Amino acid sequence: MDENKDVGFKKGLEGIIAGDSKVCLVDGTGGRLYYRGYAIKDLAENCSFEEVAYLLLYQKLPTVKELKEFRKKLAARRSLPKHVVKVIKDMPSATNPAEVLRTGASSLGSGIADASKLTAEGQTDHGIALIAAFPVISAYFYRLSHGLKIVKPDKKLGHAENYLYMLRGTVPDAEEARALDMDMVLHAEHSFNASTFAVRITISTLSDMYSALTTGVGVLKGPLHGGAATAVAEMLKEVGSVSNVDKYVSDTLARHGKIMGVGHRVYRTYDPRAVILKNEARRLSEKKHDTRWFEIADRIEGRMLAEKGLHTNVDFYSSIVYGNLGLEPGLYSDIFAIARTAGWAAHALEQYGDNRLIRPLDNYIGQVDLPFVPIKDRK
Ligand code: COA
């Protein structure tokens, strides 16, 4: 117990640096975000998800040839083993889609050799298999749970494009595919957030990539993390119109409730991803001649800034982007997880590359030296 006395801690590990990393910089006071040194705006505007996944995994932007090969590799890994398809088919249709993703990731890893014996290349390969499989698992369950026939992946389509295709059964137009693609770039990585840290903890025991990403999905699905976009959609529906916003916000704050999609542990200013997604949400809503949800969201954003000085985060306007793509709120944490596989795999590789078991201390506040009472005498 005494060994912990001199070690400071903060609830929720706020402000605690938990390790070195070269994957991503989140500048919480400057509102800047970099993946492997590249500004998020440049990546969002110019790169596909596959390019960014390559950057995260291989620590450099791909050449045309490298990207072509990487796309081919990803597309080839889209076909799921039979036992994984069976697991998805056996899930009750009312299951939360993120739970199916979690179970699918786990089942994909059954029978895989001990990762600690693999080379970095072998581990990267497993990361690629998971990046490729996530959208397929998600789309298969979506179709089955809606009483629809599954749509097999199309190797010719890009990552986001193929996901939309498998969900809908028709190839999306280029603009829709690009909107989801950009959203996935924005969600691909974000330093030592809760799910990524959990991934790194799993790897630090020399467990395997599949176990690590299974852990990642389990952590991400909570409403304080990747589940927030679904909660935002539900909130917008509950608010219903711009005229209800002020009362909704003040009532929620008065009972110390949370406005979903607002606030962040690291950003003390705007979240640069939210700025990009807001523009995209506005553009898509105007194109559809339905700006109702955008206007409600915009008003909530303004009220939260005025009342609490809190900014919106990545999950706020992404829910409007997804809504404009005709995607159901139940899928929103899946989309986040599908994109984040790239960041998780990159962090797993980094952790393997310079590993030490992650094992923090706790600040014990319980009792000691209690008199032991034999079971027959206990009341
Ligand atoms: N709505 C209302 N108040 C909020 C808030 C929100 N979304 N986020 C933070 N706050 C307030 C808290 O009530 C608290 O106020 P107080 O000091 O007056 O009590 C203060 O801001 C600090 O909040 P706290 O929950 O301790 O911050 P955190 O760093 O632990 O939490 C989040 C960060 C992201 C978990 C938090 O902002 C949140 O729950 N947001 C909503 C969920 C969400 O959008 N998650 C996705 C994150 S990408």
Side-chain angles (χ1 to χ4, degrees), residues 122-167:
Q123 287 151 359
T124 308
D125 216 49
H126 286 309
I128 292 171
L130 281 152
I131 295 169
F134 265 50
V136 185
I137 297 168
S138 170
Y140 274 14
F141 179 69
Y142 174 81
R143 303 271 312 171
L144 290 167
S145 63
H146 286 71
L148 300 165
K149 271 184 137 177
I150 56 175
V151 174
K152 292 264 167 71
D154 184 335
K155 283 187 184 170
K156 295 189 295 299
L157 303 179
H159 197 70
E161 188 181 24
N162 177 63
Y163 180 49
L164 278 176
Y165 164 67
M166 284 190 297
L167 290 171

Side-chain angles (χ1 to χ4, degrees), residues 230-276:
T230 304
V232 170
E234 285 158 2
M235 172 182 75
L236 295 177
K237 205 167 158 205
E238 191 185 337
V239 174
S241 80
V242 176
S243 59
N244 294 335
V245 167
D246 292 11
K247 182 171 163 29
Y248 181 88
V249 171
S250 11
D251 287 356
T252 306
L253 294 182
R255 59 174 167 78
H256 302 289
K258 291 261 172 94
I259 299 291
M260 300 316 279
V262 173
H264 199 274
R265 173 61 65 77
V266 183
Y267 291 115
R268 290 291 161 248
T269 178
Y270 61 88
D271 175 339
R273 303 166 299 174
V275 175
I276 299 171

Side-chain angles (χ1 to χ4, degrees), residues 20-166:
D20 289 335
S21 180
K22 288 183 179 170
V23 184
C24 171
L25 172 68
V26 180
D27 171 4
T29 43
R32 296 180 308 160
L33 170 63
Y34 298 89
Y35 295 172
R36 301 252 183 230
Y38 293 99
I40 192 65
K41 190 167 182 287
D42 289 337
L43 296 174
E45 285 174 359
N46 300 298
C47 291
S48 64
F49 171 79
E50 291 95 315
E51 250 175 295
V52 166
Y54 187 101
L55 168 69
L56 292 168
L57 293 178
Y58 296 102
Q59 307 174 34
K60 72 181 271 287
L61 282 167
T63 62
V64 171
K65 186 165 172 265
E66 285 164 341
L67 181 61
K68 200 174 161 199
E69 275 163 18
F70 185 63
R71 277 185 201 274
K72 234 168 126 181
K73 223 179 202 177
L74 270 176
R77 301 304 290 266
R78 281 181 191 151
S79 98
L80 299 180
K82 273 197 186 114
H83 75 274
V84 178
V85 178
K86 185 170 180 322
V87 164
I88 300 168
K89 283 184 174 165
D90 284 347
M91 300 294 275
S93 59
T95 310
N96 176 333
E99 289 164 10
V100 181
L101 212 47
R102 185 191 61 203
T103 306
S106 173
S107 114
L108 199 66
S110 356
I112 302 285
D114 185 352
S116 59
K117 293 192 184 117
L118 291 176
T119 58
E121 199 187 342
Q123 287 151 359
T124 308
D125 216 49
H126 286 309
I128 292 171
L130 281 152
I131 295 169
F134 265 50
V136 185
I137 297 168
S138 170
Y140 274 14
F141 179 69
Y142 174 81
R143 303 271 312 171
L144 290 167
S145 63
H146 286 71
L148 300 165
K149 271 184 137 177
I150 56 175
V151 174
K152 292 264 167 71
D154 184 335
K155 283 187 184 170
K156 295 189 295 299
L157 303 179
H159 197 70
E161 188 181 24
N162 177 63
Y163 180 49
L164 278 176
Y165 164 67
M166 284 190 297

Side-chain angles (χ1 to χ4, degrees), residues 224-225 228 257-263 265 304 308 310 313 315:
L224 296 189
H225 191 0
K258 291 261 172 94
I259 299 291
M260 300 316 279
V262 173
R265 173 61 65 77
M304 284 304 284
K308 299 279 293 182
L310 291 173
N313 59 51
D315 289 312

